Amino acid sequence: MQRFTERIKRVVLGAPVATDVAKPQTMRTRLALPVFGAGILSAVAYGPDALIDALRSGMQQSWIPFMAGGTVIILMLLGLAYSSQVRAFPHERGDYGVVRDRLGQRFGMITGASLLIDQLFTVAISVAAIAEAVIYLLPSWEAWAPAIAVVALGLMTLVNLRGIRDRGRVLLAVWHGFVLILVILFVVGWARHDGSPTAPLDTGSPHVWSILVAFAGAVASGAVMATGIEHLASSGPYHAEPRGRRASRTLLIAVLAGAGAFYGVAWLAWAYRLSGWEDGPTFLQVAARVFGNGVLTWIVGVFAVAILYAAANSVFRRFSRLTGFLASDGVLPRQMAMRNDRLVQRGSVLIVAVLAVVIVIASGASVERLVHMYIVGVFTAIVLSQRAMIEWTGARRQLATAPRERRELLGRRILHVIALIAAGAVLLITAVFNFANGAWIAVVLIVLVVVLMHAIRRHYAAVRIDIALDKEAKAPTLPSATHGIVLVAQMHRPALHALAYAKAARHTTLKAVTVKVDRGASLALQKRWAQMNLGAPLVVLDSPYRDLVSPVLDYVKSLHRASPREAVFVYVPEYIVGRWWEQLLHNRNTARLRAQLLNVPNVVVSAVPWMLESARREGPVDAVVDAESQIS
């Protein structure tokens, strides 16, 4: 059974990978762009939709080019600020590392929690956008939107559990292919547009408050274009030397490409009078208006699905790395920093997959619903990272002596101050105007994760204090005596096997213990025990209510109370089975007993395995079962 399970695991998840084999790869800008820039470019698939939907609520679609221009200005400002940041800190920890090192662990935890929630929603909104693109191309599949998103998530999960790395040439083709098809779309769309409206815009006389809400929502919604920028900021270690300069260049090129693509799609939507009331992603509607519902629109859709898949797939690795850093710093469970035999942090991958599935199903795979929950996390991290960079530039400027270096640091400090103000304004607008639309969910999740991190940090701090050796620590005091107890239900080979192990330990006293549930079986056991003269007395514990655990637990506790300085060793025979269904044929009383005995001081529980024929022939399964059950 074990060999069969191992073969299935090998086929599904792949062969183990040695630690020495996996060496970090360094890339030049040409390859780093598609690897780290897919996130910011993929936002073109839903960023213009968010902007237009916000303006539609106040019937202000005529302002699309201007609000898109404002979004581009914010995006470029953040791009310049992060270019400065990645030159200063070209490490893999990104915003979390910068904030933790400059502002302290408390703000680092807020940044880490915000990024985790942002990355979770990135996966959810990306697969929802994939579903919407597929449905636009295949309208008859409309009812299957959540299923399409879940299938895409399942594929990503399997790929990341196998630890398959994106092939550089494939990513190059996807990223540059998507950029090329967008350039063709913009050129053809501009050339074919004659300046006259091709479809009427909705008109009306909205109230001033509706206009204000529409503009504020457009600022908040358009800012989704900045959500991929943090991934670029943590790409320094994967660039060739000089890492900071190359990573900065990659970031600026990716931001320029994302900003240009976003504005181009938004302008074409305005030029071709897309009001936002039509079904389907805006960029595919634009492609249909420009190219018609033909092959070229399908090509746009295929490349969009590919770039969305690449962006979401990269988030699994970002999430795993971030949880690893947080776990190493003691604010998440330590095991989340460990990698399995495929060099994959399996727990982090499964957490992303499961939570993203829940979000996708709960939202009905609706991009319009998800986008309102999406921005709070990343802009919280951006605000804190810019505050940390202001701190850093100020400290460096105080130490600088060269006038040129001081002027440069002053300029960078002003840049980060402006970026902080802009990001803070976006965050405030999002929290206020999108709060009721779903932003509150992201806020609540961030708060819950931060509270959890504080609790984990306190726990690990308490454990360190509890187990630390003081300066006067000496060798541990040996127990004055040891008492061995072998649990026996009937006379069989596993029981004698456990007794032999107990005798080999040479305890001060050694006893066999059985629980009397059936009078006849108990008398037969006592008679057989006396006949074999095994060199250890048999203690019979009465159990009027047929409980096998409580009498043994009470007996062991009584030994401890009688001699608190003496140790008690309990030997428990257990079967090792070879077929999964054999586990169902044996009870698990000893597992419950072991769990309770571990809470008794100076008690050691030893499981003595006995491999059944099926386990010897086919290999053991992962679990053990109780050998103390009555077998006829």
Side-chain angles (χ1 to χ4, degrees), residues 461-481:
V463 169
R464 281 194 299 271
I465 294 172
D466 190 33
I467 65 176
L469 291 173
D470 54 32
K471 295 181 180 179
E472 300 177 355
K474 300 178 181 179
T477 304
L478 295 177
S480 56

Side-chain angles (χ1 to χ4, degrees), residues 260-276:
F262 171 78
Y263 190 83
V265 171
W267 185 86
L268 286 176
W270 170 79
Y272 282 84
R273 297 300 189 265
L274 295 179
S275 62

Side-chain angles (χ1 to χ4, degrees), residues 26-150:
T26 57
M27 295 171 280
R28 295 184 179 274
T29 301
R30 181 176 62 88
L31 182 57
L33 265 176
V35 172
F36 298 101
I40 198 166
L41 189 60
S42 69
V44 177
Y46 47 83
D49 302 68
L51 177 75
I52 294 172
D53 287 343
L55 292 174
R56 183 191 64 187
S57 65
M59 289 177 284
Q60 300 298 310
Q61 294 96 319
S62 60
W63 283 82
I64 289 174
F66 306 101
M67 298 309 296
T71 299
V72 168
I73 292 173
I74 294 174
L75 186 58
M76 293 306 303
L77 175 62
L78 294 179
L80 291 172
Y82 269 93
S83 173
S84 169
Q85 177 178 316
V86 78
R87 287 202 310 273
F89 298 97
H91 56 57
E92 195 177 8
R93 292 176 178 259
D95 283 349
Y96 168 68
V98 174
V99 174
R100 185 204 61 179
D101 295 342
R102 302 306 307 178
L103 303 182
Q105 185 65 61
R106 179 184 303 176
F107 289 105
M109 285 189 285
I110 296 174
T111 304
S114 301
L115 290 173
L116 291 178
I117 299 305
D118 165 65
Q119 291 165 5
L120 178 61
F121 281 115
T122 298
V123 174
I125 200 170
S126 296
V127 295
I130 288 175
E132 287 198 353
V134 171
I135 289 169
Y136 185 84
L137 299 174
L138 300 169
S140 60
W141 290 17
E142 183 176 0
W144 297 94
I148 294 171
V150 170

Side-chain angles (χ1 to χ4, degrees), residues 2 60 85 142 197 322 327 360 369 413 444 490 533 595 632:
Q2 186 180 33
Q60 300 298 310
Q85 177 178 316
E142 183 176 0
L322 181 56
V360 166
R369 295 176 188 172
R413 184 179 176 86
V444 169
Q490 54 185 311
N533 190 22
S632 57

